[in-house]
Amino acid sequence: MPHLHVEYSDNLKNLEVDRLLLRLNHALVGSGQFAEELDIKSRAVAMASFRVGVAPVERGFAHLKLAILSGRSAEIKRQLSASLLEVLKEAVPGTPGLDIQLCVEVIDIDRDSYSKVHLPG
Amino acid sequence: MPHLHVEYSDNLKNLEVDRLLLRLNHALVGSGQFAEELDIKSRAVAMASFRVGVAPVERGFAHLKLAILSGRSAEIKRQLSASLLEVLKEAVPGTPGLDIQLCVEVIDIDRDSYSKVHLPG
Amino acid sequence: MPHLHVEYSDNLKNLEVDRLLLRLNHALVGSGQFAEELDIKSRAVAMASFRVGVAPVERGFAHLKLAILSGRSAEIKRQLSASLLEVLKEAVPGTPGLDIQLCVEVIDIDRDSYSKVHLPG
């Protein structure tokens, strides 16, 4: 924890995914909400099969899902969401001819049943 | 919002994924629950590594996960779930020699920490 | 239900995914929590784009997400989580030069809006 998932439509051709993940992780470190930087586990998946709405218009999206252990306040979650959206906006500029939606969602992980083990290399 | 995820085992050989996504989106538009058709963001992923149960039987599945902003009633969620399952059943017919499970799940997105930006093309 | 998702960084080179899925399913059958073995639907995805933390260190992870119908006790969830972590630890041994995190999360599926159909082959 935290776990960050990035899903994006594969018509976002210029997205530098590795750079985005690093910047998102830096934003999470900078939030001061997480004890250790190595706890932040982020991944990104390009979606080859997607459909936004029903109109015959070229559209794309990027969606972040941040999963954190339960117990943080609504205000903290709002701040985390907003700061990740800022990073995402920098990484995905507006593109002529492509309608893009960027979203960030924060979800709780049930703290009580979360298990983890760390195997240092 | 809404976000729709389709996961399916890649032994559903005849699934027309693009057509399925469009039909699912039409079903969501038709529900009257979502203000704008372009809000509906759907994606599908074929699973190459999967295992259903433990018996040595050829099995497959398709699983829909609809994520909507919190606040809708249990009755609305049941209706959405049922209408998506109908679309899925049309797209995935019974197949001799393959045991198939089709499922639909509806989950809430925490409305308070959901962030979004729209970049029209 | 249950649905089990395995996500792992693709630098876990020696992970035998099919074997892991079968063992995880056996652990779930052995828990006695699920009526029929065929209800257990597991899948695994290797993540090619990932970033753990911000330090320039070789790191990897495997993350299990078990989704079960709502209503089970916290104690049952803890037991399920712990038993899946045991299986995961067996499948992912410590690796010199690679810092690995293994995690298990248990989430509820809203029972009320869950729809399913079974198409025997």
Side-chain angles (χ1 to χ4, degrees):
Chain A
M1 173 330 280
H3 291 275
L4 182 65
H5 291 80
V6 180
E7 290 181 332
Y8 61 99
S9 57
D10 71 354
N11 58 357
L12 301 185
K13 293 296 182 195
N14 299 317
L15 183 58
E16 297 180 62
V17 178
D18 290 338
R19 197 163 166 241
L20 172 61
L21 290 178
L22 183 56
R23 292 194 168 202
L24 291 166
N25 285 12
H26 272 294
L28 291 174
V29 169
S31 75
Q33 284 296 312
F34 309 108
E36 292 200 76
E37 55 87 23
L38 68 73
D39 284 342
I40 300 166
K41 289 168 283 291
S42 299
R43 51 275 215 184
V45 181
M47 296 284 152
S49 294
F50 66 92
R51 164 67 68 159
V52 180
V54 295
V57 177
E58 181 75 2
R59 292 167 172 164
F61 67 87
H63 181 225
L64 305 190
K65 198 175 65 175
L66 176 68
I68 55 177
L69 285 179
S70 48
R72 286 178 178 78
S73 71
E75 178 57 24
I76 295 287
K77 290 180 190 175
R78 270 195 300 271
Q79 287 171 4
L80 288 168
S81 180
S83 71
L84 293 178
L85 187 62
E86 282 307 304
V87 176
L88 186 56
K89 280 161 67 178
E90 280 177 27
V92 183
T95 306
L98 181 61
D99 185 287
I100 300 173
Q101 295 176 62
L102 307 177
C103 331
V104 181
E105 172 185 1
V106 181
I107 55 175
D108 278 340
I109 296 175
D110 177 41
R111 184 180 288 272
D112 201 47
S113 56
Y114 188 69
S115 307
K116 187 175 156 182
V117 66
H118 182 201
L119 308 171
Chain B
M1 176 319 289
H3 291 274
L4 183 65
H5 291 79
V6 180
E7 289 180 332
Y8 62 99
S9 57
D10 70 355
N11 57 357
L12 303 185
K13 293 296 183 195
N14 298 318
L15 183 57
E16 296 180 62
V17 178
D18 291 338
R19 196 162 167 241
L20 171 61
L21 290 178
L22 183 56
R23 291 196 169 199
L24 291 166
N25 285 12
H26 273 295
L28 291 173
V29 168
S31 75
Q33 283 297 313
F34 309 108
E36 292 199 76
E37 56 88 23
L38 67 73
D39 284 342
I40 300 165
K41 287 168 284 292
S42 299
R43 52 275 214 184
V45 181
M47 296 284 151
S49 295
F50 66 93
R51 164 68 66 161
V52 180
V54 295
V57 177
E58 181 75 2
R59 292 166 172 166
F61 66 87
H63 180 224
L64 305 189
K65 199 175 66 175
L66 176 68
I68 56 177
L69 286 179
S70 49
R72 285 178 177 79
S73 71
E75 178 58 24
I76 295 287
K77 290 180 191 176
R78 271 195 299 271
Q79 287 171 5
L80 288 168
S81 181
S83 70
L84 293 178
L85 186 62
E86 282 307 303
V87 175
L88 187 57
K89 281 160 66 178
E90 279 177 26
V92 183
T95 305
L98 181 61
D99 184 287
I100 300 173
Q101 295 176 61
L102 307 177
C103 333
V104 181
E105 172 186 1
V106 181
I107 55 174
D108 278 340
I109 296 175
D110 177 40
R111 183 181 289 272
D112 201 46
S113 56
Y114 189 68
S115 306
K116 187 174 157 185
V117 64
H118 182 201
L119 307 172
Chain C
M1 162 348 265
H3 291 274
L4 182 65
H5 291 80
V6 180
E7 289 180 331
Y8 62 100
S9 57
D10 70 355
N11 58 357
L12 301 184
K13 293 297 184 195
N14 298 319
L15 182 58
E16 296 181 61
V17 179
D18 290 337
R19 197 162 166 242
L20 172 61
L21 290 178
L22 182 56
R23 292 194 168 201
L24 292 167
N25 285 12
H26 273 294
L28 291 174
V29 168
S31 74
Q33 284 295 312
F34 309 108
E36 293 199 76
E37 56 86 23
L38 67 74
D39 284 342
I40 300 166
K41 288 167 283 292
S42 298
R43 51 276 214 184
V45 181
M47 296 284 152
S49 294
F50 66 92
R51 163 68 69 161
V52 180
V54 296
V57 177
E58 182 74 2
R59 292 168 173 165
F61 66 87
H63 180 224
L64 306 190
K65 199 175 66 175
L66 176 67
I68 55 177
L69 285 179
S70 48
R72 284 175 178 80
S73 71
E75 179 56 25
I76 295 288
K77 290 180 191 177
R78 269 195 301 271
Q79 288 171 5
L80 288 168
S81 180
S83 70
L84 293 178
L85 187 62
E86 281 308 304
V87 176
L88 186 57
K89 280 161 67 180
E90 280 178 26
V92 183
T95 306
L98 180 62
D99 184 287
I100 300 173
Q101 295 176 60
L102 307 177
C103 332
V104 181
E105 171 185 2
V106 180
I107 56 174
D108 278 340
I109 296 175
D110 177 41
R111 184 181 288 272
D112 201 46
S113 56
Y114 189 69
S115 307
K116 187 175 158 184
V117 65
H118 182 201
L119 308 171

